[in-house]
Amino acid sequence: MKLILLGAPGAGKGTQAEILSRELNIPTISTGNILRAAMKNGTKVGLEAKAYVEAGKLVPDEVIIGIIRERLAEPDCAKGYILDGVPRTIPQAQAMEDMGIGVDYALSIEVEDQVIVDRMSGRRTCKDCSSTFHIVFNPPKQEGICDFCGGELTIRKDDAPETVKARLVTYHRDTEPLKAFYAERGKLRTVDNQPSIEATTAEIRKALEI
């Protein structure tokens, strides 16, 4: 299955992608993780991306599409993949279509803006493996320590409330129109926010008929 996950920053796309990846045995391709690795390593593209991310702006299409093309050519994507964080604009979606990057469904997780702001202020990200936790909804077993690799959990700058609000403005302007783009192709599935991660996963299973 080839999936795209849509939704505002903090809607839970990364968490649900991890669950679906395990259940369907296909990789999650998270541009956020790829970009964060580049930023941490101080590469040319990483430094370029960092300025955009910290300002709550979108990383340019040519950077994103180049990363995606390289990643999807790897063998583990042969049976399918989950794209998390891309496409973010209609031009990106069109470019992916033109490059032959197909999808079966575009799944949109619907969450109100204020819920997003409240949720992201409690998010913690591992500085080593980029796994995400939440102090209320998905706490680590040991406070401040990643369950998976033992790395330190930190608050990312782009999870700060003022940055989140700027990102939401960008989302509604640039990314939300993708719902219509995929609806026109008969590929859109929507899931309303649920009170727990497990309940959201259950709704996603229904929407995707898996």
Side-chain angles (χ1 to χ4, degrees):
M1 183 176 285
K2 299 173 181 177
L3 291 175
I4 288 173
L5 293 188
L6 300 175
K13 299 186 298 298
T15 298
Q16 295 300 330
E18 289 175 12
I19 294 168
L20 288 168
S21 176
R22 290 194 298 269
E23 291 191 359
L24 299 172
N25 196 28
I26 55 178
T28 296
I29 313 302
S30 169
T31 19
N33 287 349
I34 296 171
L35 286 171
R36 278 193 286 278
M39 288 189 283
K40 181 181 176 184
N41 295 333
T43 65
K44 181 181 177 183
V45 69
L47 294 173
E48 183 181 355
K50 187 174 183 180
Y52 288 95
V53 171
E54 291 188 349
K57 296 180 181 179
L58 295 178
V59 178
D61 287 356
E62 60 269 21
V63 177
I64 299 295
I65 300 299
I67 288 171
I68 296 303
R69 184 190 287 117
E70 290 178 358
R71 182 66 184 86
L72 296 186
E74 295 180 19
D76 63 336
C77 294
K79 294 181 180 179
Y81 45 78
I82 302 167
L83 293 176
D84 172 20
V86 68
R88 286 190 173 179
T89 63
I90 286 178
Q92 281 184 6
Q94 191 64 60
M96 286 168 54
E97 263 192 10
D98 294 345
M99 283 175 12
I101 299 175
V103 297
D104 297 314
Y105 300 110
L107 179 73
S108 179
I109 303 174
E110 306 288 324
V111 187
E112 294 178 6
D113 284 7
Q114 189 55 52
V115 174
I116 293 285
V117 175
D118 294 343
R119 179 183 291 179
M120 292 183 76
S121 64
R123 190 156 74 170
R124 302 292 182 267
T125 303
C126 177
K127 67 180 181 62
D128 294 328
C129 75
S130 298
S131 294
T132 57
F133 300 86
H134 193 282
I135 57 175
V136 176
F137 304 113
N138 182 33
K141 293 172 184 173
Q142 184 178 346
E143 186 176 347
I145 303 296
C146 177
D147 289 356
F148 304 108
C149 76
E152 179 188 352
L153 299 181
T154 60
I155 302 173
R156 287 166 41 201
K157 287 183 180 178
D158 49 339
D159 287 342
E162 61 275 13
T163 309
V164 172
K165 289 174 183 176
R167 294 173 71 199
L168 284 169
V169 170
T170 302
Y171 166 76
H172 290 304
R173 183 188 68 225
D174 296 336
T175 305
E176 200 163 27
L178 283 169
K179 291 195 289 186
F181 180 90
Y182 287 109
E184 288 170 3
R185 288 153 175 77
K187 296 182 176 181
L188 181 70
R189 300 290 185 273
T190 59
V191 171
D192 289 331
N193 183 43
Q194 301 296 315
S196 70
I197 291 170
E198 293 77 14
T200 301
T201 303
E203 290 300 308
I204 288 172
R205 289 196 193 103
K206 289 180 191 175
L208 298 178
E209 300 177 357
I210 57 174

